[in-house]
Amino acid sequence: MSRSSKVSITPKEQSKFVNRVEGLFSPEQFKLSNEDREHWGQDWTRLFEVAPLAVVFPNCINQVVELVRLANAYDYKLVPSGGRTGLSGGCVASNGEVVVSFDRMNQILEFNPVDRLVHCQAGVVTAQLQQYAMEQGLFYPVDFASSGSSQIGGNIATNAGGIRVIRYGLTRDWVSGMTVVTGNGEVVSANKGLVKNATGYDLRHLFVGSEGTLGFVVEAQMKLCAPPELQRVMIACVSSLQDLLSILQCFQKTLELSAFEFFSDLAMSKVLGHRGIDRPLSTVSKYYALLEYDESMTEVATQAFSVCVNHGWITDGILSQSISQSKRLWEIRDGITESIARFTPYKNDISVRISEVPGFLDDVEGIVKDHYPDLEVCWFGHIGDGNLHLNILKPQNVGISEFEKRCRKINHLLFERIRRRGGSISAEHGVGLLKRDFLSYSRSQSEIETMRAIKEVFDRNGIMNPGKVF
C-alpha cells in the first residue's frame, strides 16, 4: 500500500485503529494506562519525551505480522521494546506510536547439541541464555552490565558488544540465523543456522545493528561455544591514560585476554558509594585497568604485571584469588552505569582504532577540561577494543533540558576529532535519537542515502521505529 492510499487519521479513525489493535490481543497483552505507557515507552536515557499511544505484548510471530499490517493500513508507527536498557533513545516512543514489547516472546524453542545452536524468541533475556548455555555444558560469551535485563532481540538490533569483545567479538558474531517481521509485514528467515551459505546477500548482517528500523527480530538462532577455563581478574592502578595501551600490548604479547577494561577513580568512587563496598586497593589512582585471563596463565600474567611496574605504567594492583573475589572486582566495573544513573548522565559512547586510543584520549581530555571544568566527568570503557564511555554528570540544581543543551555544545568538537581519526560516534549503544543528528560524522552522505534506500525496501511506509538513526 502506498502512502497516498492510507487512511487520513482523525480522532474517529484513531479510535477505530485502537479498537482494531486491541482486538488482536487479549486484555493482558494490551495496555493503555499512563503508567504502562510511560514504563514501556522509554529506555535508560531519560532525556526524551515519552508519549506512546498504547503498549502491546505479542506472544507469537503471527500477532506481530497482523499488527504491522494494521499499522501500515492506518499509517501508525511502531516502536520495539526489549529490556529497555538502551542508552541512545533507540526505543523511545514520543509521538503516539504503538510500543511493541517482546516480554511475552521469551521462550527457548529448541537446542541442537550437534550444531551448538539455541533457537530462541526475541524476548529471551541475555542472562537467561547464558544460564541455559551453562546447563548444557556450554557458554554464551556476549556479556554486559545489563545482561539481567537486556533481551536477545535488542542485543541483535543494536549489535551489543560488552565486556569481552576483545576475545569473543560482538553479538553479530554469535547470530547464526534469525526471523524478522519487516516493516512491510513480511516474514524473513535469514541464514537458518548455516555455517556456510554463499547464496548472495546475507540479510542476517543487514538486520543486526539496524535498531528496529527495517523490521523486528522475533526469533534467533544463537551460537554457543565451549566454556572457558576459570578466569582470574586483576585491577591495576594507572596514573596516565597514555600508559593503558602500553599495558595492553605488554600483556597481549604473552597471553590472550578475555577483557581489558578501564575506569576512572571517580567512576570507582560512585560504585563504592552506591553499593556500600570497600576499596579493593589502598592506593588511590587517577585511573584503573581491569584485566581478565585464563587461570592457567596466572604466572605469565604476573610476569607481565612486573614488567609494567618496572616501566612505571602500573603503580599498584590486586589479583583475584578466588571466584568470589573475581566477582567482587568485576562488580566495580559492572556497577558503574547503575551507580551514575541517578545523575542523569549525558553519555558519549565512542570508538577509534585501538592504535588511535592514546592520541584520542588526549583530544577528548582537552575538550572536556576546556568546556566542563565545573562538572563531574566519569570515564570508563573497553580499551581492548577502542571503545570509550564519556559520562558527564548532571548537577542537582540544573534542569535536564538545560543540561542536555550545554552538553550537546561540544558534540561537534568531539565528533570532528572522531572523524579525523576514522572512528565512530557510537561504538555499541546505537544511533537512536541521541546520535541521529550527528550521523554524518561517521557516515558519508552516500552511505546515509544508501541506508535510506535500504529502509525503503523493507519498510516502504516508514512505520518501523520512526525518527531513529535518520
Side-chain angles (χ1 to χ4, degrees):
M1 180 181 293
S2 66
R3 269 181 209 280
S4 59
S5 63
K6 290 180 186 174
V7 178
S8 177
I9 300 299
T10 65
K12 182 177 180 180
E13 288 297 341
Q14 176 172 305
S15 177
K16 183 177 178 181
F17 172 72
V18 170
N19 290 336
R20 290 286 302 277
V21 172
E22 189 172 10
L24 293 176
F25 302 96
S26 68
E28 294 77 20
Q29 293 176 275
F30 182 83
K31 304 293 183 184
L32 276 176
S33 74
N34 291 337
E35 182 180 358
D36 288 328
R37 290 186 293 122
E38 174 78 16
H39 179 73
W40 274 281
Q42 64 181 318
D43 62 8
W44 279 359
T45 52
R46 302 297 193 269
L47 294 173
F48 305 100
E49 180 183 357
V50 179
L53 176 67
V55 185
V56 297
F57 301 83
N59 56 25
C60 66
I61 294 175
N62 285 342
Q63 284 188 331
V64 179
V65 171
E66 289 302 313
L67 176 65
V68 171
R69 291 176 178 172
L70 194 61
N72 272 288
Y74 281 84
D75 195 16
Y76 269 91
K77 316 303 182 184
L78 305 176
V79 173
S81 175
R84 302 176 303 285
T85 58
L87 296 166
S88 67
C91 66
V92 173
S94 300
N95 296 294
E97 308 95 334
V98 174
V99 174
V100 185
S101 169
F102 288 93
D103 287 2
R104 288 175 177 264
M105 294 182 68
N106 61 358
Q107 300 300 306
I108 290 175
L109 303 174
E110 183 182 4
F111 170 63
N112 189 310
V114 175
D115 296 319
R116 290 182 172 178
L117 287 182
V118 175
H119 185 182
C120 63
Q121 293 179 309
V124 166
V125 173
T126 309
Q128 179 186 351
L129 180 58
Q130 292 168 336
Q131 179 61 36
Y132 184 84
M134 188 183 304
E135 292 168 359
Q136 314 311 313
L138 295 169
F139 185 58
Y140 180 67
V142 181
D143 196 13
F144 21 75
S146 62
S147 62
S149 303
S150 66
Q151 297 176 2
I152 295 300
N155 295 349
I156 293 171
T158 57
N159 192 24
I163 57 179
R164 295 190 174 90
V165 171
I166 190 173
R167 184 167 187 173
Y168 294 106
L170 301 102
T171 298
R172 179 185 305 281
D173 301 299
W174 298 90
V175 181
S176 192
M178 70 171 75
T179 303
V180 179
V181 177
T182 73
N184 300 327
E186 298 161 344
V187 179
V188 173
S189 183
N191 197 57
K192 302 178 182 179
L194 297 173
V195 175
K196 289 186 174 182
N197 182 6
T199 54
Y201 307 126
D202 191 338
L203 298 180
R204 166 183 49 153
H205 292 298
L206 189 58
F207 291 116
V208 174
S210 64
E211 300 186 40
T213 60
L214 306 179
F216 295 164
V217 177
V218 289
E219 292 181 4
Q221 290 161 299
M222 307 300 295
K223 294 185 287 186
L224 306 181
C225 65
E229 62 177 86
L230 286 176
Q231 300 290 289
R232 285 288 188 99
V233 178
M234 176 189 296
I235 289 183
C237 298
V238 184
S239 56
S240 168
L241 289 171
Q242 296 287 341
D243 293 335
L244 287 165
L245 194 58
S246 298
I247 296 168
L248 175 63
Q249 290 175 316
C250 181
F251 276 81
Q252 285 188 319
K253 283 180 181 178
T254 54
L255 76 161
E256 183 177 20
L257 293 171
S258 298
F260 188 86
E261 300 288 299
F262 138 83
F263 47 91
S264 63
D265 186 62
L266 176 63
M268 178 187 281
S269 298
K270 295 298 184 186
V271 176
L272 300 181
H274 179 69
R275 298 197 171 183
I277 53 181
D278 297 328
R279 277 189 174 268
L281 292 146
S282 57
T283 301
V284 176
S285 183
K286 191 174 182 180
Y287 306 107
Y288 304 89
L290 183 150
L291 300 83
E292 184 181 72
Y293 46 84
D294 294 342
E295 186 176 48
S296 61
M297 301 301 292
T298 299
E299 184 176 345
V300 175
T302 302
Q303 293 170 356
F305 178 85
S306 297
V307 171
C308 291
V309 170
N310 291 337
H311 280 87
W313 301 330
I314 291 177
T315 57
D316 196 3
I318 182 172
L319 173 64
S320 66
Q321 302 298 317
S322 64
I323 295 176
S324 60
Q325 189 176 23
S326 292
K327 290 180 178 179
R328 286 197 297 273
L329 294 181
W330 261 119
E331 185 179 0
I332 295 170
R333 169 60 185 87
D334 286 342
I336 297 174
T337 298
E338 174 191 306
S339 67
I340 64 175
R342 65 189 180 93
F343 298 98
T344 318
Y346 186 85
K347 295 175 174 289
N348 262 306
D349 157 49
I350 48 189
S351 70
V352 292
R353 294 186 300 277
I354 298 170
S355 60
E356 295 280 346
V357 167
F360 181 63
L361 285 169
D362 280 344
D363 290 346
V364 178
E365 272 215 309
I367 293 171
V368 169
K369 286 179 180 178
D370 288 344
H371 292 81
Y372 302 129
D374 59 325
L375 298 181
E376 288 188 315
V377 179
C378 186
W379 282 95
F380 64 98
H382 320 292
I383 293 293
D385 50 60
N387 180 193
L388 301 169
H389 297 297
L390 171 64
N391 296 262
I392 304 166
L393 308 187
K394 187 184 78 65
Q396 287 186 345
N397 61 344
V398 177
I400 289 180
S401 59
E402 178 187 347
F403 174 66
E404 182 188 7
K405 184 178 180 181
R406 182 181 177 189
C407 290
R408 286 174 71 90
K409 286 183 178 179
I410 71 156
N411 280 341
H412 70 285
L413 298 174
L414 178 63
F415 296 158
E416 183 56 38
R417 300 298 197 285
I418 292 173
R419 174 155 54 191
R420 291 178 191 174
R421 294 184 181 275
S424 173
I425 62 169
S426 183
E428 62 179 358
H429 293 168
V431 178
L433 293 171
L434 196 63
K435 299 290 182 71
R436 178 189 64 188
D437 297 338
F438 306 102
L439 188 59
S440 61
Y441 285 92
S442 287
R443 295 285 195 171
S444 69
Q445 189 59 38
S446 176
E447 287 178 308
I448 292 173
E449 290 307 315
T450 298
M451 289 195 289
R452 288 184 185 276
I454 291 171
K455 179 171 174 62
E456 181 74 17
V457 170
F458 290 99
D459 182 26
R460 60 179 173 266
N461 292 319
I463 69 162
M464 302 301 259
N465 213 10
K468 313 306 172 14
V469 182
F470 307 113

